Amino acid sequence: MRIRKKKHLAERLDGVREVLLVAMRDIPNVKLANLDKRYIDFKELFLNEYPVNLEIGCGKAGFILECAKRNSKENYLAVELLENIIVMGAEKCLKEQVKNVRFFNCGAEYLPRYIKPNSISKIFLNFSPPYPAGTYENRRLTKTELVLDYKDYLIDGGEVLQKTDDKDFFEYSYNQFEKNGFIVKDISSDIESGKIENIQTEYEKKFRKLNMPIYVLSAKVNKE
Ligand SMILES: C[S@@+](CC[C@H](N)C(=O)[O-])C[C@H]1O[C@@H](n2cnc3c(N)ncnc32)[C@H](O)[C@@H]1O
């Protein structure tokens, strides 16, 4: 039974190859992978020079597909660790004929292999697993090593936008960005008041239904 399920997933992943640029099963361990650069030429990929944005931990990709539909003059890269989840987003992308999104099935740690420095305008971190501080902190998507990677990918003036329901994780991330030279702002109230456009993610919809507070930050990079 389990074997049949896996086989079915492999077929579905093959079916989305057109939009799936990186597949977890095709890459070696992270240290070897990041030494062997395979930078992606975005102009060649999207056939335009529009800004490129990145979401890490896209889940079923509802957020990024909506961003892409609303902003046809921007391009989007969606990164997700779990292949059974990313396949759903990639299938939706093909079904709805969204042309400005591509998917990476890998962990955030592998991205230095594919993303050139100074090439990304915005990075979205939406409801990344908060993992408790201490033992599991090393898995957080705002640990120092990754924050420095984000700084590297972003163009001058580029920005990380992070949403979470976890106050401790929000405060940790805020400090991490500030400590590493970003200009950080808590924009939670601007999102609530509608001053800044908000596209709700799958997790966000669930949390909002439960009236849970949502914390949002903007971390801008100044490279001059
Ligand atoms: C709680 S879900 C949120 C999904 C979506 N962003 C949303 O808001 O509905 C977090 C997602 O991040 C992914 N994730 C966690 N760590 C990751 C990593 N290191 N690299 C890429 N994706 C990761 C998980 O597999 C999961 O799908």
Side-chain angles (χ1 to χ4, degrees):
M1 187 69 178
R2 203 176 291 159
I3 293 166
R4 208 162 49 222
K5 207 171 162 191
K6 268 195 185 157
K7 196 176 156 208
H8 184 51
L9 178 61
E11 281 164 7
R12 287 175 66 195
L13 286 164
D14 282 342
V16 296
R17 282 275 163 189
E18 197 184 315
V19 291
L20 187 68
L21 301 187
V22 173
M24 196 68 186
R25 59 198 154 137
D26 297 340
I27 45 185
N29 84 51
V30 69
K31 277 194 185 142
L32 290 178
N34 288 339
L35 285 174
D36 175 22
K37 297 288 183 221
R38 308 266 172 102
Y39 287 149
I40 291 169
D41 182 333
F42 298 143
K43 189 178 166 191
E44 203 173 278
L45 178 68
F46 292 109
L47 304 176
N48 61 51
E49 292 187 76
Y50 297 147
V52 179
N53 305 310
L54 170 72
E55 184 186 12
I56 304 177
C58 67
K60 296 180 195 163
F63 168 84
I64 205 148
L65 290 172
E66 186 56 32
C67 287
K69 287 179 202 162
R70 290 193 198 182
N71 303 291
S72 59
K73 295 203 166 170
E74 299 198 19
N75 299 312
Y76 294 87
L77 303 172
V79 181
E80 171 55 51
L81 196 56
L82 302 178
E83 50 183 14
N84 58 325
I85 301 288
I86 200 168
V87 74
M88 294 190 247
E91 285 173 341
K92 194 165 181 231
C93 179
L94 284 172
K95 189 171 171 225
E96 296 180 358
Q97 300 186 10
V98 184
K99 301 290 181 203
N100 49 341
V101 181
R102 296 292 185 281
F103 293 83
F104 291 61
N105 174 211
C106 67
E109 300 77 7
Y110 287 87
L111 293 176
R113 186 185 208 202
Y114 304 103
I115 297 187
K116 258 186 233 162
N118 302 310
S119 63
I120 299 291
S121 296
K122 283 184 195 155
I123 298 175
F124 301 103
L125 301 176
N126 291 323
F127 301 90
S128 321
Y131 295 115
T135 333
Y136 294 102
E137 208 171 296
N138 195 35
R139 295 188 192 171
R140 285 179 164 176
L141 284 182
T142 51
K143 65 181 177 182
T144 304
E145 189 191 340
L146 290 177
V147 165
L148 292 175
D149 285 348
Y150 304 155
K151 197 171 177 181
D152 215 27
Y153 310 144
L154 287 169
I155 57 171
D156 184 31
E159 157 179 55
V160 179
L161 287 155
Q162 183 181 12
K163 290 197 257 191
T164 178
D165 60 305
D166 189 294
K167 193 162 190 279
D168 170 65
F169 182 43
F170 178 77
E171 284 166 2
Y172 167 88
S173 302
Y174 192 107
N175 290 334
Q176 282 289 97
F177 286 115
E178 201 164 56
K179 210 167 73 186
N180 288 291
F182 286 76
I183 301 153
V184 197
K185 248 178 101 180
D186 178 345
I187 56 166
S188 314
S189 55
D190 290 341
I191 293 283
E192 289 312 314
S193 67
K195 203 167 148 192
I196 297 176
E197 186 193 35
N198 185 40
I199 296 177
Q200 293 190 22
T201 76
E202 279 100 2
Y203 269 70
E204 182 172 357
K205 285 177 191 160
K206 288 185 198 165
F207 293 136
R208 286 194 183 275
K209 259 193 191 155
L210 298 170
N211 282 324
M212 287 169 66
I214 308 291
Y215 306 96
V216 193
L217 67 76
S218 146
K220 285 197 177 159
V221 72
N222 181 354
K223 296 199 170 181
E224 299 200 326

